[in-house]
Amino acid sequence: RLLRRIEAGDSAVLISTMGVAGDCGTDHPLPFFTGSWDDWARLIHTQSNYNEALRSRVVTRGPRCPVVSDYVNCMAGCMGVNNSELLPPFLPIQRGEELVFGVLVNRCVPNALFGAIPRAILHVPPEARHFDVDAAISYSGKFTAAETMAHLLEAEAVRGASRSARMQSMGNRLKELSDLSERDFAEYVTGLMRESLASLIQRLNATIHRPCQHPRFWLNDVLRIRDAHLAMYLNRDHSVPVDLEREFGTVGARSHLKALVAQFAALIQSWPALVEAAGVLDSKGTTMCSRPFE
């Protein structure tokens, strides 16, 4: 895909990101368990190192050299966006909206490339933060609303040569999903998210069966996390995002997700026309909003 975009001759880096040093900005250390073996080799060198890694949210994360790719996972601690031409909208609510934005750019802008530079922005919250005990187990096999939306966007077929046409196509597909009965909607989303879970379980199994000596304290945790993922694969209704479930309960969370998909579909469909109208007003000198920084 990267080669196809480069060969087209009109590719451009539209999203540029930096790394982060300090608080990782996530609620659990699950990404540690699906990371590279080189990372793990450092974390499990001693049990004290390992225990501190599962407690501390402090990381240094970023590329070692400038990177250009067809997709880089967006985390908007420090992100540059080239919006000189039409780009899709952000998901207006929930955490992880930049993840959804990155997927939309990847799917709706045919020539989009992503960049990352070997610099990190310092993230030091005013209060000290730590992962909860067994946070990795608590979040195993569960997805947030933004993660679910990103998977829905990645799975849908998108057609059209232009950015606006592809946004219309994506919006239409999301609307079709939101028009399903609640039962059919739940079955579709759960099946889709189980595919992602299966991939995570395979990666955990590959790590477990790596031909080298594993510290017992680490192996026990990886096995517990793998089993927790498997239990959620078999038993959880993944049309119930974990963040919405905390606020609205099981039934309410599913209804809220379905409504969110419908409303975001309408926003994506309307976005090209909204941006065009805003450009017309701007050309006439009409102020769209206050500008407190000028």
Side-chain angles (χ1 to χ4, degrees), residues 142-196:
K142 301 173 184 177
F143 299 95
T144 65
E147 289 170 333
T148 304
M149 184 71 76
H151 278 81
L152 291 175
L153 295 170
E154 287 175 333
E156 294 306 315
V158 182
R159 294 178 174 83
S162 69
R163 303 182 185 198
S164 59
R166 293 176 76 86
M167 287 182 211
Q168 288 286 341
S169 176
M170 179 64 79
N172 292 340
R173 288 295 298 132
L174 289 185
K175 185 179 185 304
E176 290 174 5
L177 287 179
S178 68
D179 287 340
L180 294 174
S181 68
E182 188 161 313
R183 177 180 177 179
D184 288 345
F185 178 81
E187 288 182 354
Y188 177 83
V189 176
T190 295
L192 183 65
M193 303 312 288
R194 280 179 174 167
E195 292 178 13
S196 178

Side-chain angles (χ1 to χ4, degrees), residues 68-216:
V68 174
S69 177
D70 59 298
Y71 182 69
V72 172
N73 188 25
C74 285
M75 191 169 183
C78 188
M79 185 170 76
V81 179
N82 178 359
N83 64 344
S84 56
E85 295 184 56
L86 176 67
L87 290 181
F90 274 75
L91 183 69
I93 62 170
Q94 302 302 120
R95 289 184 63 185
E97 68 277 11
E98 70 268 52
L99 169 65
V100 178
F101 175 71
V103 173
L104 265 179
V105 170
N106 182 265
R107 301 301 314 284
C108 294
V109 183
N111 63 343
L113 296 176
F114 294 72
I117 63 173
R119 298 289 186 273
I121 185 169
L122 188 63
H123 182 209
V124 182
E127 74 286 349
R129 299 175 180 175
H130 300 284
F131 290 128
D132 292 337
V133 176
D134 273 347
I137 295 293
S138 299
Y139 281 88
S140 289
K142 301 173 184 177
F143 299 95
T144 65
E147 289 170 333
T148 304
M149 184 71 76
H151 278 81
L152 291 175
L153 295 170
E154 287 175 333
E156 294 306 315
V158 182
R159 294 178 174 83
S162 69
R163 303 182 185 198
S164 59
R166 293 176 76 86
M167 287 182 211
Q168 288 286 341
S169 176
M170 179 64 79
N172 292 340
R173 288 295 298 132
L174 289 185
K175 185 179 185 304
E176 290 174 5
L177 287 179
S178 68
D179 287 340
L180 294 174
S181 68
E182 188 161 313
R183 177 180 177 179
D184 288 345
F185 178 81
E187 288 182 354
Y188 177 83
V189 176
T190 295
L192 183 65
M193 303 312 288
R194 280 179 174 167
E195 292 178 13
S196 178
L197 264 184
S199 176
L200 288 173
I201 292 169
Q202 289 174 348
R203 288 163 65 183
L204 289 167
N205 278 332
T207 300
I208 291 167
H209 296 295
R210 187 179 176 87
C212 63
Q213 186 67 34
H214 300 310
R216 175 53 59 179

Side-chain angles (χ1 to χ4, degrees), residues 6-22:
I6 292 175
E7 288 171 350
D10 59 351
S11 298
V13 173
L14 301 184
I15 310 294
S16 299
T17 64
M18 295 174 65
V20 62

Side-chain angles (χ1 to χ4, degrees), residues 226-247:
R226 191 271 313 271
D227 292 345
H229 274 76
L230 183 57
M232 293 297 100
Y233 178 91
L234 296 173
N235 301 313
R236 185 172 176 82
D237 178 354
H238 292 289
S239 66
V240 180
V242 61
D243 49 346
L244 296 181
E245 185 178 32
R246 287 195 294 263
E247 295 294 325

